[in-house]
Structures are given as structure tokens and as C-alpha cells.
């Protein structure tokens, strides 16, 4: 048997065992975030005239059709829903047009969303690059609007949300992406980190005040290992790269964001001792397969995109995945990077499993590792 197929069969079997043995702990999930967890809001909004995420190869791996997810298949939020035997979260805009039920949760995440409000970017003359104005605060507003249809009073809401998991992110990555891609320096962006972290912490606090008791707050991914960063910020200086080929300064930036976020969550835990506030270590979970790609089945590598328009990392800004001049690899499951910015279903599966079994969630998502 081909070793790649053998590895995939084993990993699918292990994940299946995790799902089948997991407790039915949550009855609903509410998710806030950006393109790492958007299950269709950007596509349904009609914000983009020619949305490539609305056509193949996006969605080809699992759904066999484009769903508005920025990947070839399922996302971390999908695997978390599966782990607790819940249906995939409907996007908020599908709920508002009454085409889908929301009793098991809703996904408010919006591709391109920022933690900071759009005004912040317009005040600095970079608002024109924003994909959307649907920031984290806007998504919170959507939740509050929907809340009255979920429960009628404080007692009923308390009972409902006690059985719910809230995911606040990943979000904040776009706050940095927009600025970096327009030429902002790491030194300049460092000053933005406390602002971004503050908004995420405030949103987490607001949800607890609304009745949430179990919340997961993810940190940032290792952006220095992302094909888009590796392409746009290529350096002739070998010292700028770590031994795995990632840009050290950008990964250090992501780690600083994550450090400040963890500090903010510690403060919230003291303020709300009754709430379970989980830090999801996306960075650490991702670096496992950057450090050992073959061990995780990524025979195509972890730095080069599966779908793109050429170049050393297969990311070409003038021929991005889904656009003319781009092409998708034959087997996305052996790549961790999907389109230069987002990850493949295979990579998201590894991250999700690490969160679900508690090895990269603090405190663990479930009471004991599976």
C-alpha cells in the first residue's frame, strides 16, 4: 500500500475513534472570527463580485462543492462540531434568511474580518483595503440580536448557554495582515498588538456577561511559515529564516500577540472564576507539522501552497488560487498550506485534534484527554 494512503487511513481512523468516544458535552456552539472559521458568511453577503471561494477547487476535498469556506474542505470549527456530535454551524446570514436552523449554534465569523473596528483602519488611511467592515464588535451585535430568539429570559438563557461552547476567534490576524501587506513594519505593528488583544478580551468579557460560561479563545498562527508572508517578505539573508524555512521575525511577532492574549485571558479568569476560559494554541499545534512534516503526512511540504499560481512557495498575488493562471495540486491532503494564506483540511484536522484532546488547549477543552 502507498505509504501516503496508509498514513491517511490511520489518521482518519484515529480521528474517528476520538469522535466516537467523545462526550456529548455541548448542545450548541457559537463562533466568532475571520476566514479561518467562516463557513459561508462572506459568500452569502455578496460582498465580492467574483468570489473564488464560491467555486472549485475550494471545497473539493470533503464537500465536493464550494461552501464559502476558505479551504479545500473542513475547518477547525467543523471538526470541533463533529467531535461533539453537532451539525456543522450554519453561517449567520443563512440563519437570518431562515434557510437554516440555529438551535445547535451559529457561525458569525466573516472572512476578512478584523478584531478592531473598521474606523481604526479608515482613520489611518488604510480602510480601502478591508474586505469587510464586519469586525468582532459587529459580530457581537449579531449575536445579541439573535439571542432573544434563543432564550426569553435570564434563567432560560443561563440554562441554554451553560450547554454551549463559544469560540472567540481566531481573530486579529487580519488586523496585522492588512497593515503588513501595505508596508507596515514589525516595529510599527507592535504598538497595535495591545489594542487587538484588548478588543478580543473585551469581546470575551461581553459574552460572559451575556451568559457564556465555556469559551475558547485561539491565538495567532505562525505567520512566518505562511506562503504569503514567505513570498511577500523574501529575504536574501539566510539569518532571517529558522531551520525550517520560516521567517523568524514574523513568527516572533505572532508569539508576542499570543503571549499578550494569554496574559489578558489570565486577567479574565480572575474576574470571572465561574467561567472556563480556554486558550487554544494554534501556533504550537501548527508548528508540530512544520517541525515534522513527514510524520504528519505532509509529503508535499508545509511552506508551499497546494493551490496557487507559481513561485517558490506557489503563491502569486496576480494568480491566486481560483483565479486565472492558478492550479490546485492533485492531493491537498499531503500539503498543510492550501492557498498561501489558509490551511488545508488535513492541517486543520491536526490542529483540531490537538485542541480536542487537550494537548494544545489550556485548560483542556474536555475534562480528560481522549
Amino acid at each position: 500500500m502507498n505509504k501516503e494512503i496508509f498514513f491517511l487511513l490511520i489518521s482518519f481512523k484515529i480521528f474517528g475513534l476520538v469522535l466516537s468516544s467523545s462526550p456529548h458535552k455541548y448542545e450548541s456552539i457559537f463562533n466568532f472570527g475571520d476566514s479561518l472559521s467562516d463557513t459561508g458568511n462572506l459568500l452569502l453577503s455578496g460582498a465580492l463580485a467574483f468570489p473564488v471561494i464560491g467555486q472549485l477547487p475550494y471545497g473539493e476535498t470533503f464537500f465536493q462543492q464550494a461552501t464559502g469556506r476558505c479551504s479545500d474542505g473542513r475547518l477547525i470549527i467543523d471538526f470541533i462540531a463533529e467531535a461533539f456530535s453537532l451539525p456543522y454551524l450554519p453561517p449567520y446570514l443563512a440563519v437570518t434568511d431562515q434557510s437554516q436552523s440555529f438551535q445547535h449554534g451559529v457561525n458569525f465569523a466573516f472572512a476578512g474580518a478584523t478584531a478592531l473596528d473598521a474606523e481604526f483602519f479608515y482613520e489611518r488611511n488604510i480602510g480601502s483595503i478591508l474586505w469587510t467592515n464586519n469586525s468582532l464588535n459587529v459580530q457581537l451585535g449579531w449575536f445579541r440580536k439573535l439571542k432573544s430568539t434563543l432564550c426569553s429570559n435570564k434563567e432560560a438563557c443561563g440554562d441554554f448557554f451553560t450547554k454551549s461552547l463559544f469560540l472567540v476567534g481566531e481573530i486579529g490576524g487580519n488586523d496585522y495582515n492588512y497593515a503588513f501587506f501595505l508596508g507596515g513594519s514589525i516595529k510599527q505593528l507592535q504598538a497595535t498588538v495591545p489594542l487587538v488583544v484588548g478588543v478580543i478580551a473585551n469581546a470575551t468579557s461581553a459574552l460572559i456577561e451575556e451568559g457564556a460560561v465555556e469559551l475558547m479563545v485561539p491565538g495567532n498562527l505562525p505567520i512566518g511559515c505562511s506562503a504569503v508572508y514567505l513570498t511577500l517578505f523574501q529575504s536574501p539573508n539566510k539569518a532571517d529564516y529558522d531551520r525550517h524555512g520560516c521567517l523568524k521575525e514574523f513568527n516572533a511577532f505572532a508569539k508576542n500577540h499570543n503571549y499578550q492574549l494569554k496574559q489578558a485571558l489570565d486577567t479574565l479568569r480572575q474576574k470571572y472564576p465561574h467561567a472556563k476560559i480556554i486558550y487554544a494554541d494554534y501556533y504550537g499545534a501548527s508548528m508540530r507539522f512544520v517541525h515534522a512534516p513527514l510524520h504528519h503526512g505532509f509529503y508535499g511540504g508545509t511552506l508551499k501552497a497546494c493551490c496557487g499560481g507559481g513561485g517558490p512557495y506557489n503563491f502569486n498575488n496576480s494568480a491566486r488560487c481560483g483565479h486565472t493562471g492558478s492550479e490546485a495540486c492533485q492531493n491537498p491532503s499531503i500539503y498543510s498550506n492550501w492557498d498561501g494564506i489558509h490551511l488545508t483540511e488535513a492541517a486543520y484536522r491536526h490542529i483540531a485534534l490537538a485542541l480536542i484532546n487537550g494537548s494544545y488547549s489550556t485548560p483542556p477543552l474536555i475534562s480528560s484527554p481522549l
Side-chain angles (χ1 to χ4, degrees):
M1 182 184 290
N2 182 290
K3 65 178 181 179
E4 296 171 10
I5 296 174
F6 175 78
F7 179 86
L8 288 170
L9 288 174
I10 293 297
S11 62
F12 291 161
K13 188 172 183 180
I14 291 171
F15 197 83
L17 288 171
V18 170
L19 300 188
S20 63
S21 61
S22 62
H24 293 252
K25 183 176 183 180
Y26 304 112
E27 294 182 6
S28 59
I29 299 175
F30 297 91
N31 182 72
F32 304 80
D34 55 26
S35 60
L36 296 188
S37 60
D38 183 357
T39 54
N41 281 316
L42 175 64
L43 184 62
L44 288 169
S45 74
L48 298 180
F50 304 101
V52 295
I53 59 171
Q55 60 192 35
L56 295 173
Y58 284 88
E60 68 177 17
T61 294
F62 179 78
F63 301 100
Q64 275 100 49
Q65 64 178 4
T67 62
R69 289 167 173 80
C70 296
S71 182
D72 63 305
R74 289 165 289 182
L75 312 176
I76 295 169
I77 186 64
D78 295 315
F79 289 116
I80 291 175
E82 286 183 8
F84 294 100
S85 302
L86 293 173
Y88 299 130
L89 296 190
Y92 171 71
L93 295 183
V95 168
T96 53
D97 68 11
Q98 299 183 335
S99 66
Q100 294 193 45
S101 168
F102 51 85
Q103 286 305 308
H104 291 295
V106 178
N107 194 345
F108 302 99
F110 205 101
T114 53
L116 295 166
D117 288 333
E119 288 75 15
F120 175 87
F121 300 93
Y122 282 103
E123 287 169 1
R124 287 153 181 80
N125 297 316
I126 57 173
S128 59
I129 196 177
L130 295 179
W131 278 26
T132 177
N133 292 341
N134 294 320
S135 65
L136 183 54
N137 277 329
V138 172
Q139 294 175 32
L140 276 174
W142 290 346
F143 167 74
R144 291 187 176 109
K145 189 182 296 184
L146 194 68
K147 183 182 175 182
S148 61
T149 64
L150 292 167
C151 47
S152 55
N153 56 55
K154 187 173 183 180
E155 184 179 355
C157 289
D159 183 58
F160 189 93
F161 294 140
T162 297
K163 304 167 188 172
S164 303
L165 174 66
F166 289 77
L167 278 88
V168 189
E170 185 277 334
I171 196 160
N174 286 325
D175 297 69
Y176 310 133
N177 290 341
Y178 290 128
F180 278 135
F181 297 165
L182 285 177
S185 69
I186 288 177
K187 186 176 181 180
Q188 289 172 323
L189 268 292
Q190 292 288 11
T192 308
V193 175
L195 303 178
V196 171
V197 167
V199 171
I200 297 170
N202 288 341
T204 305
S205 175
L207 287 169
I208 295 171
E209 295 288 349
E210 293 285 351
V213 291
E214 295 211 18
L215 309 95
M216 174 176 274
V217 187
N220 206 344
L221 289 164
I223 58 175
C225 304
S226 175
V228 61
Y229 275 84
L230 288 165
T231 300
L232 297 180
F233 304 105
Q234 285 185 72
S235 171
N237 187 354
K238 289 184 178 180
D240 290 338
Y241 298 85
D242 65 19
R243 62 191 179 92
H244 305 289
C246 302
L247 287 162
K248 290 190 288 189
E249 278 197 311
F250 285 101
N251 273 357
F253 180 88
K255 288 172 75 173
N256 178 46
H257 165 91
N258 295 342
Y259 173 78
Q260 293 193 38
L261 179 59
K262 285 185 281 188
Q263 295 289 102
L265 297 183
D266 281 341
T267 300
L268 288 180
R269 291 184 186 109
Q270 294 173 16
K271 183 178 180 180
Y272 301 106
H274 72 285
K276 182 178 181 180
I277 303 171
I278 303 163
Y279 172 70
D281 185 7
Y282 280 18
Y283 187 102
S286 301
M287 288 305 287
R288 290 181 313 154
F289 50 76
V290 172
H291 292 161
L294 300 183
H295 176 74
H296 292 86
F298 294 124
Y299 299 97
T302 56
L303 304 184
K304 187 176 180 180
C306 162
C307 182
Y313 303 101
N314 199 28
F315 180 83
N316 182 341
N317 205 35
S318 61
R320 298 188 304 277
C321 182
H323 290 271
T324 302
S326 70
E327 188 177 354
C329 65
Q330 288 190 337
N331 188 359
S333 67
I334 64 171
Y335 288 79
S336 66
N337 194 297
W338 167 241
D339 59 6
I341 301 172
H342 310 98
L343 304 183
T344 59
E345 175 182 282
Y348 287 136
R349 176 185 285 107
H350 281 296
I351 297 171
L353 182 55
L355 303 180
I356 293 162
N357 71 21
S359 56
Y360 284 87
S361 55
T362 309
L365 177 59
I366 56 177
S367 56
S368 60
L370 296 172

